[in-house]
Amino acid sequence: MAEGKWVNPPPDHRIDGGALHLTTGKKTDFWQETLYGFHRDDGHFLAFDAPEEFDAVLSFASPLDTLYDQAGIMLRQSPPAWVKAGIEFSDGVLNFSTVVTNGVSDWSVQPVPGASGPFTIRLIRKGGAIVVHRMSPEGWRLMRLAPFPTGAALLGPMACSPERAGLEVSFTDFRVGPAPDEALHLEEG
């Protein structure tokens, strides 16, 4: 984690035993245009150079309890071309949330009843697409398949708190390896 470069560093962060602990700034987010009409690019993102194709796994814990609190993984080419996937608090529950942005943002959510963390997310980039999974008690669950441009990009943990400051997140594991042959239907592990 110590080798990453911050895109919008949080007001407080530290690395302890390989884990990244951060506290978000006030009203931070990544979003482009859709429905709300605003452009936000001030969320916290610890960026590493991403391979053209990869399999990334990220684990974290956080007391997500305020509207739009979120933490997870980000793949970013530029302010109008990125994807973020993780856990987000909305409508009074925790949701698995994915936003894919190519000029404008889209947003997909799926409630994760009974989830309490820690959370583990998997993002695979392969053949002009991204594949997003979350670890459930039953194993990896496919959450999203979407196109994503090829070319240079940055990858790493991200966190935002659009309605407040002070969300605390601990990222305990971040691994990047080669993309698997089978990216949709993963075996447990």
Side-chain angles (χ1 to χ4, degrees):
M1 295 279 192
E3 297 165 9
K5 303 281 189 231
W6 282 106
V7 173
N8 310 317
D12 183 44
H13 62 90
R14 65 183 166 77
I15 297 172
D16 180 19
L20 168 64
H21 307 277
L22 67 80
T23 303
T24 60
K26 187 175 182 179
K27 296 189 174 183
T28 55
D29 201 2
F30 293 105
W31 187 261
Q32 295 293 320
E33 188 64 35
T34 306
L35 188 62
Y36 305 108
F38 57 71
H39 300 264
R40 296 226 178 119
D41 196 47
D42 58 3
H44 310 299
F45 170 47
L46 185 59
F48 300 84
D49 289 332
E52 183 65 33
E53 294 191 345
F54 62 80
D55 181 359
V57 176
L58 177 77
S59 297
F60 66 93
S62 180
L64 304 158
D65 59 10
T66 300
L67 183 63
Y68 305 130
D69 279 357
Q70 58 193 270
I73 194 165
M74 179 175 234
L75 176 64
R76 178 181 172 106
Q77 285 188 315
S78 64
W82 48 265
V83 59
K84 65 179 179 178
I87 303 296
E88 182 168 357
F89 188 80
S90 181
D91 297 324
V93 297
L94 292 176
N95 295 276
F96 191 90
S97 169
T98 306
V99 176
V100 178
T101 299
N102 192 358
V104 295
S105 295
D106 77 5
W107 183 31
S108 64
V109 294
Q110 181 179 7
V112 284
S116 61
F119 305 100
T120 301
I121 298 163
R122 193 170 191 172
L123 177 65
I124 298 169
R125 184 183 188 195
K126 185 173 183 171
I130 56 106
V131 183
V132 182
H133 293 86
R134 76 170 176 89
M135 179 57 80
S136 73
E138 296 79 30
W140 290 112
R141 293 291 174 241
L142 177 64
M143 303 306 290
R144 184 82 183 261
L145 169 64
F148 192 82
T150 59
L154 300 171
L155 173 70
M158 75 83 209
C160 306
S161 54
E163 298 294 315
R164 67 169 173 142
L167 173 65
E168 295 179 353
V169 185
S170 294
F171 295 97
T172 55
D173 186 31
F174 177 53
R175 294 174 278 139
V176 181
D181 291 335
E182 172 54 63
L184 287 179
H185 310 289
L186 299 173
E187 297 296 322
E188 189 170 335

